[in-house]
Amino acid sequence: MRLALEAAFWLLALASHWLLPEQLPLLGQVWIVALFVLSLDLLVGFAGVLTLGHAAFFGLGAYAAGILAQQGWGEPLSGLLLAALLAALLGLVTAPLVLHGGDLPALMVTLGLSLMLAEAANKLPGITGGADGLLGVEMWPVLGLFRFDLFGRTAFFYALAVLFLLFLLARLITASPFGLALRGIRGNARRMPALGTPVRARLVAVYALSAAYAGVAGALLAQTTQFVSLDALSFQRSAEGLLMLVLGGLGALYGALLGAVAFTLAHHILSEMSPLFWQFWIGVALVGLALAGRGGLLGLGALLLRRGRA
Amino acid sequence: MTALATEGLSRDFGGFRAVAGIDLVLAQGARHAVIGPNGAGKTTLVNLLTGALRPTAGRVRLGGEDVTALSQHARVKRGLARTFQINQLFPEFTPVQAVTLALLEREGLTARWWRPVSAHGAVVAEARALLDSLRFAPAEMRAATRSLPYGRQRLLEIALALALRPRVLLLDEPAAGVPPGESRAVLDAVAALPRDVTVLLIEHDMDLVFRFAERITVLAQGAVLVEGPPAEVARDPRVREVYLGEPAHG
């Protein structure tokens, strides 16, 4: 049952290429956003560490991959790798600051760090292009075979393939003893040291992992749009990521994917219907789902499924 | 051989001395209880022993090794396990998941990310066996912890500590808050602890203390008032005065 649903999800994602051929660029964005929300889920949903500044890693990854290509090395996969490594490194360096206190300090420190990074990018136009954005990003074909095209077909498959592979890795990790320990830390951080768990070390590890995921998502955006703007580092990106996670369901990997898909599509559809008021309806949905618990859309779906069977 | 010892252990909070120069020696396999009225320093003592707090002065020795500077988790790795006065459980986990987590930690496996928990079959089986030995019903093992009756949760609190296979076990008021109908299982679990495990019992309940402990330390105002075998402690007039409030019947 579970496996069948999982297969259906990914087949539908793949099939969307033929079902919505006009919307390939949008769908490509959806996979990238989904990867970003997945990175938040690892940190917030599983380990219970709060953040309002995850765009720092997304943006760092975007600029790293963008600048690498701009400087003449347009090979996509090495761009992803560089983005992941740099973001993980930034995660390792900043983790002690973020994990120093409780929830509120974590929110403030992550927010502060991401604002600093955004301002630095703004003030260094020689490197980042500043407010004009990073131009001149030239990508080589993926695996030397698939050229990025104007219709977003390569971007669609490339982003979906990366999302799928990193999703499988996240699935493996969250089901592992390490993943169980993370959930234990979220469930009761006081008990874990009494079981012998070095809580700090586990949280630093997942923080760096989550940062790397966000960095790869940013790199995908830079590569598929061949452009990076300051928007990649914006507070709005961090906040919307959290919003999508809560919308989809915390602490469940498919919740992250579902939240990203639902939010981006709702954004697209609602903003065409009523350009001014689409945020109102997102707000209504968010308040409703947040009050209903941490389950989000995924929890709602599971509930309906159980009701249907009973 | 000494399993757990403190030397001149002290802790100040501001100007207030919560624990004042406590010397304790527990031989291996000891059944030792620490009692004392509220505010005697029992909770602070527990926190100093486990490493949740650092002492202002003095030392903690675990099996001969000075562990004063070690963190909580490092002391656990050296064989010191504890239970909490107020349950510290994982509300969303089933008892099997929680005990499995403790066992994985004991085996040093929680940094492993490349195999699912279910692939560590022997560990999961051991978790079930441990819960079974504490008379958890199969349905209880699979229920979310928060849905279990309080007495079962109290037992799970002990199970998590036992899973670590400790050399020294610190029980912080294990029967606290358990309704009379459910307390039997908890007391049985305490009584059935393996003989080679050194047990330090922090307790309010005099019945449990006098039934279980072979040696009792009475704390008052952060210091050791009396230490000795139960019969001797019960006869001591100072204990009656400080702890029982008024002269009582033996």
Side-chain angles (χ1 to χ4, degrees), chain A residues 80-206:
Chain A
L80 297 188
L81 193 64
L82 178 72
L85 288 176
L86 286 179
L89 194 66
L90 182 66
L92 283 179
V93 173
T94 56
L97 301 173
V98 174
L99 302 172
H100 186 73
D103 288 345
L104 192 61
L107 285 176
M108 293 304 113
V109 170
T110 50
L111 179 59
L113 290 169
S114 71
L115 291 176
M116 282 160 58
L117 208 63
E119 200 48 48
N122 186 32
K123 284 283 178 324
L124 293 170
I127 302 171
T128 63
D132 296 333
L134 186 76
L135 296 166
V137 177
E138 302 253 350
M139 298 312 301
W140 302 349
V142 179
L143 301 171
L145 296 171
F146 307 102
R147 241 166 230 303
F148 286 99
D149 56 292
L150 284 175
F151 314 103
R153 291 172 65 175
T154 300
F156 174 97
F157 288 116
Y158 176 49
L160 184 58
V162 172
L163 173 66
F164 180 64
L165 290 177
L166 288 181
F167 178 87
L168 287 184
L169 180 64
R171 195 169 175 271
L172 183 70
I173 291 173
T174 51
S176 72
F178 175 68
L180 187 65
L182 293 182
R183 287 164 62 199
I185 291 170
R186 195 194 71 217
N188 191 337
R190 262 194 86 190
R191 184 67 192 226
M192 293 303 281
L195 296 183
T197 306
V199 171
R200 174 62 69 93
R202 298 288 177 272
L203 289 181
V204 169
V206 73

Side-chain angles (χ1 to χ4, degrees), chain B residues 3-203:
Chain B
L4 179 70
T6 68
E7 295 163 14
L9 200 62
S10 305
R11 170 72 197 206
D12 299 347
F13 293 108
F16 172 65
R17 179 148 277 210
V19 164
I22 291 184
D23 297 312
L24 270 183
V25 177
L26 273 72
Q28 200 198 336
R31 295 287 182 268
H32 198 119
V34 170
I35 63 174
N38 283 328
K42 299 192 297 290
T43 302
T44 306
L45 176 64
V46 169
N47 287 332
L48 291 171
L49 290 173
T50 57
L53 279 177
R54 292 294 143 89
T56 310
R59 295 179 189 295
V60 178
R61 286 181 193 284
L62 188 59
E65 185 187 0
D66 188 339
V67 297
T68 316
L70 293 184
S71 63
Q72 288 188 71
H73 62 85
R75 294 183 199 197
V76 173
K77 293 289 181 215
R78 283 163 177 75
L80 175 68
R82 72 170 294 188
T83 67
F84 289 81
Q85 186 184 346
I86 297 164
N87 283 344
Q88 295 292 338
L89 300 171
F90 305 98
E92 291 173 22
F93 282 3
T94 66
V96 172
Q97 279 178 311
V99 173
T100 299
L101 175 59
L103 293 170
L104 288 167
E105 196 56 69
R106 182 192 77 202
E107 300 297 321
L109 296 173
T110 65
R112 300 244 175 138
W113 55 266
W114 56 90
R115 270 170 77 201
V117 171
S118 53
H120 298 273
V123 174
V124 181
E126 188 183 342
R128 283 179 205 286
L130 176 61
L131 288 166
D132 188 56
S133 74
L134 292 170
R135 301 203 196 95
F136 272 76
E140 290 173 327
M141 293 186 200
R142 289 192 304 267
T145 297
R146 71 177 122 69
S147 71
L148 294 175
Y150 187 77
R152 290 277 117 171
Q153 294 194 19
R154 213 62 198 130
L155 210 51
L156 181 57
E157 179 71 36
I158 295 172
L160 289 180
L162 287 181
L164 302 172
R165 221 183 271 153
R167 288 201 296 258
V168 179
L169 177 60
L170 230 148
L171 295 170
D172 196 353
E173 299 196 27
V178 180
E182 299 175 46
S183 66
R184 186 60 194 267
V186 175
L187 300 184
D188 284 352
V190 173
L193 291 169
R195 205 45 242 203
D196 58 335
V197 175
T198 307
V199 182
L200 181 62
L201 177 71
I202 314 288
E203 192 49 87

Side-chain angles (χ1 to χ4, degrees), chain B residues 233-245:
Chain B
V233 168
R235 276 197 306 271
D236 196 297
R238 288 169 301 173
V239 175
R240 295 186 178 198
E241 193 180 325
V242 171
Y243 190 67
L244 302 170

